[in-house]
């Protein structure tokens, strides 16, 4: 059985991943990087893909990640 991971990923406004170095404000540290800036955080499951709606603050996305992770644990325990 493959390992299932649940993580919180930073995203741009168009929902593409933001792997650029950004300031705490979400704006890129390097203006020439082509990054429009981070605007949201999405919970991503390796089995289900995006889970729920993206949040504008990481601390609001983390509980959804924990909840989804617990759902997987409960499903494994039921087997």
């Amino acid at each position: 059985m493959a390992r299932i991971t649940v993580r919180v990923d930073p995203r741009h406004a168009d929902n593409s991943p933001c792997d650029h170095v950004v300031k705490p404000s979400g704006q890129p540290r390097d203006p020439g990087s082509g990054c429009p800036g981070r605007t949201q955080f999405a919970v991503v499951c390796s089995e289900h893909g995006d889970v729920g709606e993206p949040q504008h603050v990481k601390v609001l996305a983390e509980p959804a990640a924990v909840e989804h992770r617990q759902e997987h644990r409960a499903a494994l325990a039921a087997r």
Side-chain angles (χ1 to χ4, degrees):
M1 175 179 239
R3 177 180 214 117
I4 297 171
T5 59
V6 179
R7 63 187 187 280
V8 177
D9 283 348
R11 299 280 177 91
H12 297 127
D14 66 357
N15 207 28
S16 62
C18 179
D19 55 1
H20 308 94
V21 179
V22 295
K23 299 175 186 175
S25 66
Q27 296 304 310
R29 288 207 184 268
D30 178 14
S33 68
C35 175
R38 179 196 66 225
T39 60
Q40 57 193 359
F41 293 90
V43 177
V44 181
C45 173
S46 61
E47 185 174 309
H48 298 115
D50 288 3
V51 177
E53 294 296 317
Q55 300 292 327
H56 294 286
V57 182
K58 187 174 183 178
V59 73
L60 295 177
E62 289 171 346
V66 170
E67 182 179 333
H68 190 74
R69 204 173 289 121
Q70 289 173 344
E71 290 172 7
H72 279 290
R73 288 184 183 140
L76 285 174
R79 288 184 182 177

